[in-house]
Amino acid sequence: MKLTFRGVRGSIPAPGPKTVRYGGNTTCIEIRTDDNDLIILDAGTGIFPLAHTLFPELPITAHVFITHTHWDHIQGLPFFIPLFIPGNTVHLYGARDPVYDRDLQEIMAQQWQHTYYPVRDAELKAHLHYHTLREGETIPVGENTTVTNIFMNHPVLNFGYRIECNGKSIFFTGDHEHLLNIFQPDELGYEGFQLAMDEKSRRIIDFIKGVDILIADTSYTEDEYPERIGWGHGTYDKNVALAREAGAKQLYFTHHEPTRSDDDLDTLLEELKGRYPAEEGMPICHLAREGELIEL
Amino acid sequence: MGDTLKQVILEAETLPPFTSSARKITALASNIDCAPADIVRVIETDPTMTVALIRLLNSDYFSMETPCYTVSEAVVTLGITTVKNIALKTGERRTLPTFTDADPGALGLHMHCAGTGMIARHLARFLALPPRVQDQALSAGLMHDLGKIALLNAMPAQYSSAVQKAKEQGVSLDVSERTHLDCDHSQVGQMLSEAWNLPEIFTITMGDHYESTLSISDERTFALFDCVTAANTIIQRKGFGTSGDPEPPKLTESAKTRFGISSSEALEKKLPPTLVEELNQLQEMLHHA
Ligand SMILES: [Zn+2]
Ligand SMILES: [Zn+2]
């Protein structure tokens, strides 16, 4: 399996001289299976540069798995050029909206609405198929690859995806904040919440168990986090803990804060390596970098 | 199924919350910094908001490994923002009409539901049931009169009049309901719980909160059932809220045995001394929304 980061920024694109090394596009990850099937995790603005690399292999079939439909994870979709070219097939997967009771197609229909975009999805030349996923549903891609999901913790339903291909595995959290008890220890309801929460955390860890690569939303430092509780994003230290508990071999921090410069990111990684020296059970930590290709 | 019953079940698809919880949740949600626990505390006083979440998580789409019983469990799965928005959405519908002439805005019925939930949880705690089961007692107590809410929603004038007539004629509410409406709130509650795929405990407590005629599959469910029936008795004996029944129901034999007491006075003594204060706070909260 091969993986290429096409967008590593969180929340909003961050172009400019201070982000040239790690990149300014929002979330998009390209995965190639051993059979060269194309899986794309999220359709942030990074899907636009990805689209340009696909021309030599048209027509294509792309399996696009959306973790959740916040802007930074879908904003590039209307600019995914293969959608406008006959002969291509795009499968789009994602969760339901339980608040307004809409399936994926109904959710995405807003994006193709004429006040936001000049083209309706009915006008697209490629075959576009919507698949509303349930938790735990396993989608086969080609002969040897599967994509399974689990609900994570974010202000909107968010799937973490696990991709398995010939014994190698990748897990991407999408946007995820570790769970937190909303009650104080002396309040009624604290214990019940804690137990439900522990059960959920355990399920997430079991789901990630033993992955070769864990890609995790790492928006904040521990110092920044107290001001951002409940915003739905992870921290460096919490993700190291998650990776250790799950026994992940490599950990890629992504969803970099848009205000974070390349130098800031390098400093944060250096400090982290100081806090967590290499030892048994400690994953190898990296900063996700736009354009970086990783072979498993 | 009778036509009335069919209509009531159909209209329950858009069951509105009580006025004061709808107001309270809207007020809380207009502040971006509001505490998640405050949102949950409001939802946990409203049967419609609570059942909307529990129903969703027991629906086909979620098909959880273990059924969902509580608002906390819904928060763990959906996140507080989604939970808040689902609660807000129930409040976008109209709110519940007047229950009886003496209960404008159904505030009394609201107090009855929320108070029953509170006491049921205390009783479960007294029985030393596990913490998550104590929270289930809160949900079951809170939702036990969902049938009344559904009737009030579907046929406000007739239902209000059936409640009035029970009082005037000195008959129990379910007798009056059956005489004037062709169905009673327990029937409605049971049907709703079954139609919405709620866990068994809710079918039993919403379907029969006086003396169980349903077969109860396990001991824990039976204990929860006893907590809810006893809470329903205690809350009415305390005169807290309006149940619509002219007389408080008697303590069931199985509750007497389970709690090891012979009267509801004796059972009230087993509740924490802070209960009066908690009920005052609850009343305060519902009144000043
Ligand atoms: Zn994001
Ligand atoms: Zn997001």
Side-chain angles (χ1 to χ4, degrees), chain B residues 116 118-129 134 137 210 219-234 250-272:
Chain B
T116 306
M118 180 186 275
I119 293 180
R121 182 197 247 171
H122 276 306
L123 291 172
R125 202 178 162 85
F126 169 74
L127 291 178
L129 295 174
Q134 293 174 27
Y210 305 113
E219 179 50 29
R220 184 167 287 172
T221 305
F222 217 122
L224 275 172
F225 175 76
D226 285 337
C227 291
V228 173
T229 60
N232 189 25
T233 302
I234 293 172
K250 290 199 174 57
L251 209 57
T252 63
E253 288 310 314
S254 89
K256 283 182 190 165
T257 314
R258 177 161 327 263
F259 295 104
I261 40 87
S262 55
S263 69
S264 54
E265 290 94 322
L267 185 54
E268 278 179 53
K269 292 205 182 79
K270 311 249 184 199
L271 290 166

Side-chain angles (χ1 to χ4, degrees), chain A residues 198-230:
Chain A
D198 291 347
E199 191 179 289
K200 169 81 183 169
S201 302
R202 225 177 4 257
R203 283 186 58 219
I204 291 176
I205 290 162
D206 288 347
F207 194 87
I208 304 176
K209 263 264 139 60
V211 279
D212 295 290
I213 291 185
L214 167 59
I215 307 165
D217 162 9
T218 314
S219 296
Y220 311 132
T221 65
E222 285 306 307
D223 286 346
E224 292 162 348
Y225 180 67
E227 294 292 305
R228 292 159 175 80
I229 291 173

Side-chain angles (χ1 to χ4, degrees), chain A residues 94-96 98-101 132-135 151-157 159 179 182-183 187-193 195-197 199-200 203 230, chain B residues 36-37 40-41 44 56 60-66 72-73 75-83 85-86 89 92 121-122 125 131-132 134-135 278:
Chain A
R96 252 192 109 72
V99 177
Y100 291 98
D101 198 22
T132 305
L133 297 180
R134 287 158 51 140
E135 191 186 36
F151 286 133
M152 306 296 282
N153 182 44
H154 198 54
V156 68
L157 278 187
F159 280 135
L179 288 134
I182 62 169
F183 295 107
E187 288 177 327
L188 273 174
Y190 176 87
E191 259 186 291
F193 195 98
L195 290 163
M197 198 181 107
E199 191 179 289
K200 169 81 183 169
R203 283 186 58 219
Chain B
V40 167
R41 273 190 278 266
E44 283 180 342
L56 175 70
D60 234 28
Y61 180 67
F62 284 92
S63 58
M64 314 293 290
E65 278 169 29
T66 43
S72 282
E73 289 164 353
V75 173
V76 167
T77 302
L78 299 173
I80 188 67
T81 309
T82 300
V83 163
N85 284 316
I86 289 170
K89 191 169 150 254
E92 286 168 7
R121 182 197 247 171
H122 276 306
R125 202 178 162 85
R132 287 179 81 170
Q134 293 174 27
D135 294 352
E278 285 174 42

Side-chain angles (χ1 to χ4, degrees), chain A residues 27 51 56 71 77 106 155 159 175 266:
Chain A
T27 305
W71 289 127
L77 192 67
E106 292 166 322
F159 280 135
D175 287 2
D266 286 336

Side-chain angles (χ1 to χ4, degrees), chain B residues 99-228:
Chain B
F99 182 40
T100 71
D101 291 348
D103 184 20
L107 183 62
L109 182 60
H110 191 179
M111 285 168 62
H112 169 72
C113 296
T116 306
M118 180 186 275
I119 293 180
R121 182 197 247 171
H122 276 306
L123 291 172
R125 202 178 162 85
F126 169 74
L127 291 178
L129 295 174
R132 287 179 81 170
V133 181
Q134 293 174 27
D135 294 352
Q136 292 174 16
L138 169 65
S139 301
L142 174 70
M143 284 157 47
H144 79 284
D145 268 344
L146 210 70
K148 288 181 192 169
I149 295 172
L151 281 163
L152 184 60
N153 171 55
M155 40 178 73
Q158 291 117 294
Y159 193 55
S160 189
S161 134
V163 175
Q164 205 66 39
K165 283 184 180 131
K167 194 176 165 195
E168 286 161 14
Q169 295 161 2
V171 295
S172 74
L173 180 58
D174 33 333
V175 169
S176 180
E177 288 168 347
R178 285 193 290 272
T179 312
H180 300 287
L181 308 171
D182 274 349
C183 63
D184 63 43
H185 71 270
S186 308
Q187 266 176 298
V188 173
Q190 186 181 334
M191 292 203 61
L192 282 178
S193 183
E194 284 167 356
W196 293 352
N197 197 31
L198 304 185
E200 182 191 24
I201 177 62
F202 301 119
T203 310
I204 292 165
T205 48
M206 282 157 58
D208 177 9
H209 31 269
Y210 305 113
E211 200 73 67
S212 180
T213 50
L214 296 155
S215 60
I216 298 181
S217 66
D218 67 296
E219 179 50 29
R220 184 167 287 172
T221 305
F222 217 122
L224 275 172
F225 175 76
D226 285 337
C227 291
V228 173

